């Protein structure tokens, strides 16, 4: 059975959740391998919108097993809340349908407080992601296996005392007492602990059995801790390498899918070469409803940047593209695309003709306006990677498959 990885090729929010959801129907296992509740995957099924932060989008497929791998950081309070949300929406989540790696690290309320205190210059989501990965690297983190052997309280206590000391002595702030935080975590721990297991072995077994595995990236390549726009990045490996370390298995991916938004967006701070700070940027923001699913923050918008996408492809070995939000470019004419940089660093753009038609209900790529088809072809030709899917709206039904000769 084919194995697939779906990754964001830009700064996140490319529409990965929707593409994963479409593919999850045929997958036996769906895996998240990095990040935490900083992600916000929006999926619309039959007009109903679901926003998931940590649980893989495969939960909407009704049959797939979903894995939160060891490369993730898990806020147990958030996960318990998300489990409740998903159950309320009528989706079945049992420990058979959702597995959480004992090797994943815990995000505690202390990490959250610390992130909110110090993450502003990066423009983090404030979810405690950076501090939790920091503790993983410092080798003082609390892994989820400690929920099972019941050692988490002592570990959180030691860590919490350190954070309280740091906050008080270095930043002149008072964090809540450790006992209060532990009490806050207790009900969530009781829920989450049922889902914790050895996901590396489980995933290996599924691979051996020839099951079809789908890896779901969070954030985007340009937010990768190594390959992104450092230091304005997230704290995990969002690229294909992260899939291996973050799950503990080798997978020979048949499909390495780049999710590419038809223009570019970014939330948080940091460089954005094709950013539009004028009315065009505001128009893209409005047309694309570019507001963060996790934080509600408005996203910065700009033209498509092909040299950055080429770098992204370098890191991931993409062999297919899913092009999303093409409908948001309707009515913009001409459309600019960055194709290079001059020796002095100026951005070189080409102008492509736009189209005026509303394409949200187009069902076949052949029925798209000529200029729209040309835009898709231009991206494919420039990157040398086939565009296999074109998405023209948030619903499951608004994705077209493109024939590749
Ligand atoms: P952190 O991941 O919360 O530490 O935030 C680091 C940077 O990554 C900030 O610029 C965030 O806005 C960005 N970021 C984190 N998660 C996402 C996401 O899911 N989509 C887009 N940007 C994200």
């Amino acid at each position: 059975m084919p194995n697939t990885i779906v990754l964001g090729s830009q700064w996140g929010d490319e529409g990965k959740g929707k593409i994963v959801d479409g593919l999850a129907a045929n997958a036996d296992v769906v895996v998240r391998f990095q990040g935490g509740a900083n992600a916000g995957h929006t999926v619309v099924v039959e007009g109903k919108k679901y926003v998931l932060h940590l649980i893989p989008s495969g939960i909407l497929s009704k049959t797939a097993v979903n894995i939160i791998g060891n490369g993730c950081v898990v806020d147990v309070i958030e996960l318990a809340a998300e489990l409740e949300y998903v159950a309320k929406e009528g989706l079945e989540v049992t420990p058979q349908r959702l597995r959480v790696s004992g090797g994943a690290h815990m995000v505690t309320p202390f990490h959250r407080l610390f992130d909110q205190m110090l993450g502003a210059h990066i423009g983090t989501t404030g979810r405690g992601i950076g501090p939790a990965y920091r503790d993983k690297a410092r080798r003082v983190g609390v892994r989820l296996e400690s929920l099972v052997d019941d050692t988490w309280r002592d570990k959180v206590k030691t860590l919490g005392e350190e954070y309280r000391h740091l906050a008080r002595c270095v930043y002149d702030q008072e964090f809540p007492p450790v006992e209060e935080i532990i009490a806050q975590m207790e009900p969530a721990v009781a829920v989450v602990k049922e889902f914790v297991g050895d996901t590396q072995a489980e995933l290996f077994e599924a691979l051996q059995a020839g099951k079809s595995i789908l890896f779901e990236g969070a954030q985007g390549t340009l937010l990768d801790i190594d390959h992104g726009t450092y230091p304005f990045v997230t704290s995990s490996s969002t690229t294909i390498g992260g899939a291996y370390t973050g799950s503990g298995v080798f997978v020979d991916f048949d499909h390495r899918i780049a999710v590419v938004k038809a223009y570019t967006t970014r939330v948080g701070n940091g460089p954005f070469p094709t950013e539009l700070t004028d009315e065009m940027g505001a128009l893209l923001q409005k047309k694309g409803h570019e507001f963060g699913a996790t934080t509600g923050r408005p996203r910065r918008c700009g033209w498509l940047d092909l040299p950055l996408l080429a770098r992204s492809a370098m890191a991931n070995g993409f062999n297919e593209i899913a092009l999303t939000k093409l409908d948001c470019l309707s009515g913009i004419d001409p459309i600019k695309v960055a194709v290079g940089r001059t020796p002095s660093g100026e951005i070189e753009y080409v102008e492509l003709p736009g189209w005026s038609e509303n394409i949200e209900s187009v069902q076949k790529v052949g029925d798209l306006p000529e200029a729209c088809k040309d835009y898709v072809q231009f991206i494919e030709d420039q990157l040398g990677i086939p565009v296999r899917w074109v998405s023209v709206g948030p619903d499951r039904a608004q994705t077209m498959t493109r024939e590749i000769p």
Side-chain angles (χ1 to χ4, degrees), residues 76-77 80 106 146-148 150 152-153 156 182 184-196:
V76 289
I77 295 177
M106 197 191 262
S146 66
L147 306 188
V148 180
D150 226 15
W152 67 275
R153 286 180 202 81
V156 171
I182 289 178
Q184 243 179 54
M185 293 172 72
E186 291 280 4
V189 166
V191 173
V192 170
K193 116 191 210 188
E194 303 302 321
F195 296 85
V196 177

Side-chain angles (χ1 to χ4, degrees), residues 11-14 16 35-41 115 119 122-131 133 218-220 223 231-236 265-270 292-295 297 299-300:
W11 279 288
D13 308 313
E14 298 92 349
K16 292 178 292 294
N38 49 348
H41 289 167
D115 195 16
I122 302 286
T124 68
T125 59
R127 301 282 164 127
I129 306 301
Y133 279 114
Q219 290 86 45
L223 286 171
F232 299 97
V233 292
T234 191
S235 301
S236 62
T265 60
R266 160 161 219 173
V267 272
N269 304 330
T294 298
T295 58
R297 286 183 290 176
R299 298 178 186 138
R300 299 155 66 191

